[in-house]
Amino acid sequence: MVFLCPKTECPNDETLKNGEKCPLCGALAENFGQVGTGNLFVAKAEYKTEKDLIQHKNALDAKVLISSQMTDEDIINKITEDMENLVMHEAGTAWMRLGTLLSGSSTDAMIGAGFKALIDQNKIIIRQNELLLRNLKRIVEKGQVVP
């Protein structure tokens, strides 16, 4: 008799004793027999693969501005995050203060800070445009006329 953790999302694949709880998830060990054990191991492997794919997708989403898998809420959250970053950048570098712009010192740093701010602003605009495009597509699909 083979007793294993029955949860496919639990990575524990070690043999347990009858009545023992899984040390990782706390599930009560179950007897799976020979065929059931093979099926459980396949299910656990598939879950691990699916979990890895989700983590990879999340990492990829963090690198791209927009993906078709992103919800409107995801895009709105990214816009808010970028706007907060822009505010912090402006406050931290003082790149928009008139005295800094006219001083002539640290020109390269000021230009770099300005380009960084422009890039952040463009990210916001790109994401806002994506939201507008999605909303327009919804309107067209519903057959509604924009006044």
Side-chain angles (χ1 to χ4, degrees):
M1 297 185 115
V2 178
F3 289 90
L4 298 166
C5 175
K7 293 190 174 184
T8 56
E9 61 272 8
C10 179
N12 186 9
D13 54 7
E14 295 180 13
T15 304
L16 303 171
K17 295 178 184 173
N18 187 11
E20 186 179 4
K21 289 187 177 185
C22 174
L24 298 179
C25 71
L28 192 60
E30 292 182 17
N31 179 14
F32 284 90
Q34 201 169 20
V35 174
T37 300
N39 292 339
L40 180 65
F41 284 143
V42 168
K44 284 182 180 256
E46 287 175 356
Y47 177 78
K48 288 177 189 174
T49 303
E50 184 178 324
K51 186 178 175 184
D52 290 341
L53 289 173
I54 290 170
Q55 289 175 342
H56 176 71
K57 181 198 150 304
N58 290 341
L60 186 61
D61 281 349
K63 294 179 183 177
V64 296
L65 285 175
I66 301 165
S67 74
S68 58
Q69 288 77 30
M70 286 179 157
T71 65
D72 291 356
E73 188 67 28
D74 292 336
I75 295 173
I76 290 168
N77 289 339
K78 290 283 193 181
I79 290 170
T80 303
E81 181 182 316
D82 287 339
M83 289 192 317
E84 289 171 356
N85 288 341
L86 185 59
V87 168
M88 295 303 291
H89 179 75
E90 289 174 0
T93 61
W95 66 274
M96 282 300 290
R97 291 195 184 133
L98 187 58
T100 303
L101 293 173
L102 299 176
S103 70
S105 63
S106 305
T107 304
D108 291 340
M110 191 171 68
I111 290 172
F115 278 129
K116 171 72 172 105
L118 288 172
I119 290 167
D120 289 344
Q121 289 171 348
N122 282 326
K123 287 180 182 179
I124 293 167
I125 292 168
I126 290 167
R127 289 186 175 126
Q128 288 173 334
N129 285 340
E130 176 66 16
L131 286 175
L132 290 170
L133 181 63
R134 289 180 181 193
N135 283 329
L136 287 173
K137 285 179 181 178
R138 283 189 204 109
I139 291 170
V140 170
E141 287 172 0
K142 290 180 181 179
Q144 297 174 347
V145 179
V146 179

PDB file of all heavy atoms in Angstrom, residues 34-61:
ATOM      1  N   GLN A  34      -1.271   1.169  -7.174  1.00  0.00           N
ATOM      2  CA  GLN A  34      -0.254   1.314  -8.211  1.00  0.00           C
ATOM      3  C   GLN A  34      -0.697   2.266  -9.321  1.00  0.00           C
ATOM      4  O   GLN A  34       0.024   3.177  -9.701  1.00  0.00           O
ATOM      5  CB  GLN A  34       0.070  -0.060  -8.796  1.00  0.00           C
ATOM      6  CG  GLN A  34       1.395  -0.119  -9.479  1.00  0.00           C
ATOM      7  CD  GLN A  34       1.786  -1.555  -9.816  1.00  0.00           C
ATOM      8  OE1 GLN A  34       0.955  -2.433  -9.873  1.00  0.00           O
ATOM      9  NE2 GLN A  34       3.068  -1.758 -10.041  1.00  0.00           N
ATOM     10  N   VAL A  35      -1.896   2.078  -9.860  1.00  0.00           N
ATOM     11  CA  VAL A  35      -2.390   2.917 -10.961  1.00  0.00           C
ATOM     12  C   VAL A  35      -2.654   4.339 -10.464  1.00  0.00           C
ATOM     13  O   VAL A  35      -2.285   5.328 -11.109  1.00  0.00           O
ATOM     14  CB  VAL A  35      -3.664   2.303 -11.583  1.00  0.00           C
ATOM     15  CG1 VAL A  35      -4.251   3.247 -12.616  1.00  0.00           C
ATOM     16  CG2 VAL A  35      -3.360   0.958 -12.188  1.00  0.00           C
ATOM     17  N   GLY A  36      -3.272   4.437  -9.298  1.00  0.00           N
ATOM     18  CA  GLY A  36      -3.584   5.751  -8.738  1.00  0.00           C
ATOM     19  C   GLY A  36      -2.349   6.576  -8.448  1.00  0.00           C
ATOM     20  O   GLY A  36      -2.337   7.796  -8.624  1.00  0.00           O
ATOM     21  N   THR A  37      -1.286   5.907  -8.010  1.00  0.00           N
ATOM     22  CA  THR A  37      -0.028   6.604  -7.726  1.00  0.00           C
ATOM     23  C   THR A  37       0.539   7.222  -9.004  1.00  0.00           C
ATOM     24  O   THR A  37       0.961   8.385  -9.012  1.00  0.00           O
ATOM     25  CB  THR A  37       1.002   5.627  -7.112  1.00  0.00           C
ATOM     26  OG1 THR A  37       0.475   5.111  -5.902  1.00  0.00           O
ATOM     27  CG2 THR A  37       2.320   6.320  -6.838  1.00  0.00           C
ATOM     28  N   GLY A  38       0.527   6.458 -10.077  1.00  0.00           N
ATOM     29  CA  GLY A  38       1.013   6.981 -11.359  1.00  0.00           C
ATOM     30  C   GLY A  38       0.193   8.174 -11.823  1.00  0.00           C
ATOM     31  O   GLY A  38       0.740   9.187 -12.257  1.00  0.00           O
ATOM     32  N   ASN A  39      -1.131   8.072 -11.698  1.00  0.00           N
ATOM     33  CA  ASN A  39      -2.010   9.180 -12.091  1.00  0.00           C
ATOM     34  C   ASN A  39      -1.770  10.418 -11.233  1.00  0.00           C
ATOM     35  O   ASN A  39      -1.777  11.545 -11.728  1.00  0.00           O
ATOM     36  CB  ASN A  39      -3.475   8.757 -11.998  1.00  0.00           C
ATOM     37  CG  ASN A  39      -3.849   7.722 -13.039  1.00  0.00           C
ATOM     38  OD1 ASN A  39      -3.179   7.584 -14.061  1.00  0.00           O
ATOM     39  ND2 ASN A  39      -4.908   6.985 -12.778  1.00  0.00           N
ATOM     40  N   LEU A  40      -1.560  10.209  -9.928  1.00  0.00           N
ATOM     41  CA  LEU A  40      -1.295  11.333  -9.032  1.00  0.00           C
ATOM     42  C   LEU A  40       0.013  12.025  -9.398  1.00  0.00           C
ATOM     43  O   LEU A  40       0.082  13.252  -9.451  1.00  0.00           O
ATOM     44  CB  LEU A  40      -1.259  10.872  -7.571  1.00  0.00           C
ATOM     45  CG  LEU A  40      -0.979  11.973  -6.545  1.00  0.00           C
ATOM     46  CD1 LEU A  40      -2.112  12.999  -6.529  1.00  0.00           C
ATOM     47  CD2 LEU A  40      -0.784  11.375  -5.162  1.00  0.00           C
ATOM     48  N   PHE A  41       1.059  11.237  -9.677  1.00  0.00           N
ATOM     49  CA  PHE A  41       2.344  11.832 -10.048  1.00  0.00           C
ATOM     50  C   PHE A  41       2.230  12.620 -11.351  1.00  0.00           C
ATOM     51  O   PHE A  41       2.814  13.703 -11.490  1.00  0.00           O
ATOM     52  CB  PHE A  41       3.442  10.772 -10.149  1.00  0.00           C
ATOM     53  CG  PHE A  41       3.953  10.291  -8.824  1.00  0.00           C
ATOM     54  CD1 PHE A  41       4.292   8.965  -8.632  1.00  0.00           C
ATOM     55  CD2 PHE A  41       4.112  11.152  -7.755  1.00  0.00           C
ATOM     56  CE1 PHE A  41       4.774   8.506  -7.418  1.00  0.00           C
ATOM     57  CE2 PHE A  41       4.592  10.711  -6.535  1.00  0.00           C
ATOM     58  CZ  PHE A  41       4.919   9.379  -6.357  1.00  0.00           C
ATOM     59  N   VAL A  42       1.466  12.114 -12.304  1.00  0.00           N
ATOM     60  CA  VAL A  42       1.250  12.834 -13.570  1.00  0.00           C
ATOM     61  C   VAL A  42       0.513  14.149 -13.298  1.00  0.00           C
ATOM     62  O   VAL A  42       0.889  15.204 -13.813  1.00  0.00           O
ATOM     63  CB  VAL A  42       0.469  11.952 -14.580  1.00  0.00           C
ATOM     64  CG1 VAL A  42      -0.009  12.779 -15.753  1.00  0.00           C
ATOM     65  CG2 VAL A  42       1.338  10.801 -15.057  1.00  0.00           C
ATOM     66  N   ALA A  43      -0.528  14.097 -12.451  1.00  0.00           N
ATOM     67  CA  ALA A  43      -1.294  15.309 -12.127  1.00  0.00           C
ATOM     68  C   ALA A  43      -0.431  16.336 -11.413  1.00  0.00           C
ATOM     69  O   ALA A  43      -0.513  17.538 -11.691  1.00  0.00           O
ATOM     70  CB  ALA A  43      -2.510  14.940 -11.277  1.00  0.00           C
ATOM     71  N   LYS A  44       0.417  15.870 -10.489  1.00  0.00           N
ATOM     72  CA  LYS A  44       1.312  16.794  -9.775  1.00  0.00           C
ATOM     73  C   LYS A  44       2.316  17.429 -10.742  1.00  0.00           C
ATOM     74  O   LYS A  44       2.598  18.623 -10.656  1.00  0.00           O
ATOM     75  CB  LYS A  44       2.044  16.072  -8.638  1.00  0.00           C
ATOM     76  CG  LYS A  44       1.176  15.807  -7.420  1.00  0.00           C
ATOM     77  CD  LYS A  44       1.987  15.135  -6.311  1.00  0.00           C
ATOM     78  CE  LYS A  44       1.136  14.871  -5.095  1.00  0.00           C
ATOM     79  NZ  LYS A  44       1.369  15.802  -4.014  1.00  0.00           N
ATOM     80  N   ALA A  45       2.840  16.650 -11.676  1.00  0.00           N
ATOM     81  CA  ALA A  45       3.793  17.167 -12.666  1.00  0.00           C
ATOM     82  C   ALA A  45       3.116  18.194 -13.575  1.00  0.00           C
ATOM     83  O   ALA A  45       3.699  19.230 -13.887  1.00  0.00           O
ATOM     84  CB  ALA A  45       4.380  16.027 -13.490  1.00  0.00           C
ATOM     85  N   GLU A  46       1.886  17.920 -13.983  1.00  0.00           N
ATOM     86  CA  GLU A  46       1.141  18.869 -14.830  1.00  0.00           C
ATOM     87  C   GLU A  46       0.884  20.162 -14.079  1.00  0.00           C
ATOM     88  O   GLU A  46       0.985  21.246 -14.643  1.00  0.00           O
ATOM     89  CB  GLU A  46      -0.170  18.253 -15.301  1.00  0.00           C
ATOM     90  CG  GLU A  46       0.007  17.195 -16.366  1.00  0.00           C
ATOM     91  CD  GLU A  46      -1.301  16.515 -16.740  1.00  0.00           C
ATOM     92  OE1 GLU A  46      -2.344  16.800 -16.115  1.00  0.00           O
ATOM     93  OE2 GLU A  46      -1.265  15.683 -17.663  1.00  0.00           O
ATOM     94  N   TYR A  47       0.544  20.058 -12.799  1.00  0.00           N
ATOM     95  CA  TYR A  47       0.305  21.260 -11.997  1.00  0.00           C
ATOM     96  C   TYR A  47       1.576  22.095 -11.892  1.00  0.00           C
ATOM     97  O   TYR A  47       1.544  23.312 -12.044  1.00  0.00           O
ATOM     98  CB  TYR A  47      -0.200  20.900 -10.599  1.00  0.00           C
ATOM     99  CG  TYR A  47      -0.387  22.122  -9.730  1.00  0.00           C
ATOM    100  CD1 TYR A  47      -1.506  22.932  -9.883  1.00  0.00           C
ATOM    101  CD2 TYR A  47       0.575  22.487  -8.787  1.00  0.00           C
ATOM    102  CE1 TYR A  47      -1.662  24.069  -9.112  1.00  0.00           C
ATOM    103  CE2 TYR A  47       0.422  23.615  -8.013  1.00  0.00           C
ATOM    104  CZ  TYR A  47      -0.695  24.406  -8.169  1.00  0.00           C
ATOM    105  OH  TYR A  47      -0.852  25.532  -7.413  1.00  0.00           O
ATOM    106  N   LYS A  48       2.715  21.419 -11.647  1.00  0.00           N
ATOM    107  CA  LYS A  48       3.990  22.147 -11.547  1.00  0.00           C
ATOM    108  C   LYS A  48       4.302  22.856 -12.861  1.00  0.00           C
ATOM    109  O   LYS A  48       4.744  24.009 -12.874  1.00  0.00           O
ATOM    110  CB  LYS A  48       5.131  21.195 -11.177  1.00  0.00           C
ATOM    111  CG  LYS A  48       5.091  20.703  -9.759  1.00  0.00           C
ATOM    112  CD  LYS A  48       6.220  19.716  -9.503  1.00  0.00           C
ATOM    113  CE  LYS A  48       6.077  19.046  -8.160  1.00  0.00           C
ATOM    114  NZ  LYS A  48       7.072  17.997  -7.956  1.00  0.00           N
ATOM    115  N   THR A  49       4.056  22.187 -13.996  1.00  0.00           N
ATOM    116  CA  THR A  49       4.308  22.779 -15.305  1.00  0.00           C
ATOM    117  C   THR A  49       3.403  23.974 -15.532  1.00  0.00           C
ATOM    118  O   THR A  49       3.839  25.031 -15.986  1.00  0.00           O
ATOM    119  CB  THR A  49       4.095  21.728 -16.416  1.00  0.00           C
ATOM    120  OG1 THR A  49       4.946  20.623 -16.159  1.00  0.00           O
ATOM    121  CG2 THR A  49       4.416  22.304 -17.778  1.00  0.00           C
ATOM    122  N   GLU A  50       2.122  23.827 -15.188  1.00  0.00           N
ATOM    123  CA  GLU A  50       1.164  24.933 -15.356  1.00  0.00           C
ATOM    124  C   GLU A  50       1.549  26.112 -14.479  1.00  0.00           C
ATOM    125  O   GLU A  50       1.507  27.261 -14.905  1.00  0.00           O
ATOM    126  CB  GLU A  50      -0.242  24.450 -14.997  1.00  0.00           C
ATOM    127  CG  GLU A  50      -1.319  25.487 -15.222  1.00  0.00           C
ATOM    128  CD  GLU A  50      -2.703  24.949 -14.889  1.00  0.00           C
ATOM    129  OE1 GLU A  50      -2.962  23.769 -15.148  1.00  0.00           O
ATOM    130  OE2 GLU A  50      -3.505  25.737 -14.367  1.00  0.00           O
ATOM    131  N   LYS A  51       1.969  25.822 -13.247  1.00  0.00           N
ATOM    132  CA  LYS A  51       2.395  26.873 -12.328  1.00  0.00           C
ATOM    133  C   LYS A  51       3.611  27.614 -12.887  1.00  0.00           C
ATOM    134  O   LYS A  51       3.686  28.841 -12.831  1.00  0.00           O
ATOM    135  CB  LYS A  51       2.706  26.263 -10.964  1.00  0.00           C
ATOM    136  CG  LYS A  51       3.014  27.263  -9.883  1.00  0.00           C
ATOM    137  CD  LYS A  51       3.246  26.544  -8.560  1.00  0.00           C
ATOM    138  CE  LYS A  51       3.682  27.511  -7.490  1.00  0.00           C
ATOM    139  NZ  LYS A  51       4.001  26.835  -6.232  1.00  0.00           N
ATOM    140  N   ASP A  52       4.572  26.873 -13.448  1.00  0.00           N
ATOM    141  CA  ASP A  52       5.757  27.487 -14.053  1.00  0.00           C
ATOM    142  C   ASP A  52       5.365  28.380 -15.231  1.00  0.00           C
ATOM    143  O   ASP A  52       5.927  29.466 -15.410  1.00  0.00           O
ATOM    144  CB  ASP A  52       6.744  26.417 -14.525  1.00  0.00           C
ATOM    145  CG  ASP A  52       7.413  25.691 -13.363  1.00  0.00           C
ATOM    146  OD1 ASP A  52       7.397  26.217 -12.236  1.00  0.00           O
ATOM    147  OD2 ASP A  52       7.941  24.588 -13.596  1.00  0.00           O
ATOM    148  N   LEU A  53       4.404  27.924 -16.045  1.00  0.00           N
ATOM    149  CA  LEU A  53       3.947  28.723 -17.180  1.00  0.00           C
ATOM    150  C   LEU A  53       3.297  30.019 -16.712  1.00  0.00           C
ATOM    151  O   LEU A  53       3.509  31.079 -17.307  1.00  0.00           O
ATOM    152  CB  LEU A  53       2.971  27.925 -18.048  1.00  0.00           C
ATOM    153  CG  LEU A  53       3.578  26.783 -18.861  1.00  0.00           C
ATOM    154  CD1 LEU A  53       2.475  25.963 -19.527  1.00  0.00           C
ATOM    155  CD2 LEU A  53       4.537  27.326 -19.905  1.00  0.00           C
ATOM    156  N   ILE A  54       2.516  29.944 -15.658  1.00  0.00           N
ATOM    157  CA  ILE A  54       1.864  31.142 -15.115  1.00  0.00           C
ATOM    158  C   ILE A  54       2.913  32.117 -14.597  1.00  0.00           C
ATOM    159  O   ILE A  54       2.836  33.323 -14.853  1.00  0.00           O
ATOM    160  CB  ILE A  54       0.858  30.761 -14.013  1.00  0.00           C
ATOM    161  CG1 ILE A  54      -0.345  30.045 -14.635  1.00  0.00           C
ATOM    162  CG2 ILE A  54       0.405  31.990 -13.231  1.00  0.00           C
ATOM    163  CD1 ILE A  54      -1.279  29.406 -13.627  1.00  0.00           C
ATOM    164  N   GLN A  55       3.925  31.594 -13.884  1.00  0.00           N
ATOM    165  CA  GLN A  55       4.988  32.465 -13.385  1.00  0.00           C
ATOM    166  C   GLN A  55       5.760  33.104 -14.540  1.00  0.00           C
ATOM    167  O   GLN A  55       6.107  34.278 -14.494  1.00  0.00           O
ATOM    168  CB  GLN A  55       5.930  31.686 -12.474  1.00  0.00           C
ATOM    169  CG  GLN A  55       5.324  31.323 -11.142  1.00  0.00           C
ATOM    170  CD  GLN A  55       6.216  30.443 -10.299  1.00  0.00           C
ATOM    171  OE1 GLN A  55       7.145  29.815 -10.793  1.00  0.00           O
ATOM    172  NE2 GLN A  55       5.921  30.364  -9.010  1.00  0.00           N
ATOM    173  N   HIS A  56       6.011  32.331 -15.595  1.00  0.00           N
ATOM    174  CA  HIS A  56       6.707  32.859 -16.765  1.00  0.00           C
ATOM    175  C   HIS A  56       5.864  33.950 -17.432  1.00  0.00           C
ATOM    176  O   HIS A  56       6.384  34.989 -17.821  1.00  0.00           O
ATOM    177  CB  HIS A  56       7.002  31.729 -17.756  1.00  0.00           C
ATOM    178  CG  HIS A  56       7.634  32.196 -19.023  1.00  0.00           C
ATOM    179  ND1 HIS A  56       8.938  32.647 -19.078  1.00  0.00           N
ATOM    180  CD2 HIS A  56       7.145  32.314 -20.289  1.00  0.00           C
ATOM    181  CE1 HIS A  56       9.228  33.018 -20.312  1.00  0.00           C
ATOM    182  NE2 HIS A  56       8.156  32.822 -21.053  1.00  0.00           N
ATOM    183  N   LYS A  57       4.561  33.712 -17.566  1.00  0.00           N
ATOM    184  CA  LYS A  57       3.657  34.696 -18.163  1.00  0.00           C
ATOM    185  C   LYS A  57       3.646  35.978 -17.339  1.00  0.00           C
ATOM    186  O   LYS A  57       3.706  37.079 -17.879  1.00  0.00           O
ATOM    187  CB  LYS A  57       2.243  34.146 -18.260  1.00  0.00           C
ATOM    188  CG  LYS A  57       1.249  35.085 -18.895  1.00  0.00           C
ATOM    189  CD  LYS A  57      -0.161  34.643 -18.545  1.00  0.00           C
ATOM    190  CE  LYS A  57      -1.146  35.742 -18.461  1.00  0.00           C
ATOM    191  NZ  LYS A  57      -0.915  36.832 -17.586  1.00  0.00           N
ATOM    192  N   ASN A  58       3.600  35.844 -16.005  1.00  0.00           N
ATOM    193  CA  ASN A  58       3.605  37.023 -15.144  1.00  0.00           C
ATOM    194  C   ASN A  58       4.912  37.796 -15.279  1.00  0.00           C
ATOM    195  O   ASN A  58       4.909  39.024 -15.290  1.00  0.00           O
ATOM    196  CB  ASN A  58       3.366  36.622 -13.690  1.00  0.00           C
ATOM    197  CG  ASN A  58       1.950  36.137 -13.452  1.00  0.00           C
ATOM    198  OD1 ASN A  58       1.046  36.406 -14.235  1.00  0.00           O
ATOM    199  ND2 ASN A  58       1.748  35.407 -12.372  1.00  0.00           N
ATOM    200  N   ALA A  59       6.020  37.084 -15.396  1.00  0.00           N
ATOM    201  CA  ALA A  59       7.311  37.752 -15.582  1.00  0.00           C
ATOM    202  C   ALA A  59       7.359  38.463 -16.929  1.00  0.00           C
ATOM    203  O   ALA A  59       7.881  39.572 -17.046  1.00  0.00           O
ATOM    204  CB  ALA A  59       8.455  36.745 -15.475  1.00  0.00           C
ATOM    205  N   LEU A  60       6.796  37.830 -17.960  1.00  0.00           N
ATOM    206  CA  LEU A  60       6.754  38.439 -19.281  1.00  0.00           C
ATOM    207  C   LEU A  60       5.858  39.673 -19.282  1.00  0.00           C
ATOM    208  O   LEU A  60       6.205  40.705 -19.855  1.00  0.00           O
ATOM    209  CB  LEU A  60       6.254  37.428 -20.310  1.00  0.00           C
ATOM    210  CG  LEU A  60       6.281  37.852 -21.773  1.00  0.00           C
ATOM    211  CD1 LEU A  60       7.716  38.164 -22.200  1.00  0.00           C
ATOM    212  CD2 LEU A  60       5.689  36.779 -22.647  1.00  0.00           C
ATOM    213  N   ASP A  61       4.704  39.587 -18.617  1.00  0.00           N
ATOM    214  CA  ASP A  61       3.793  40.730 -18.529  1.00  0.00           C
ATOM    215  C   ASP A  61       4.454  41.924 -17.856  1.00  0.00           C
ATOM    216  O   ASP A  61       4.150  43.067 -18.172  1.00  0.00           O
ATOM    217  CB  ASP A  61       2.518  40.363 -17.774  1.00  0.00           C
ATOM    218  CG  ASP A  61       1.532  39.590 -18.638  1.00  0.00           C
ATOM    219  OD1 ASP A  61       1.748  39.515 -19.868  1.00  0.00           O
ATOM    220  OD2 ASP A  61       0.553  39.056 -18.079  1.00  0.00           O
TER     221      ASP A  61
END
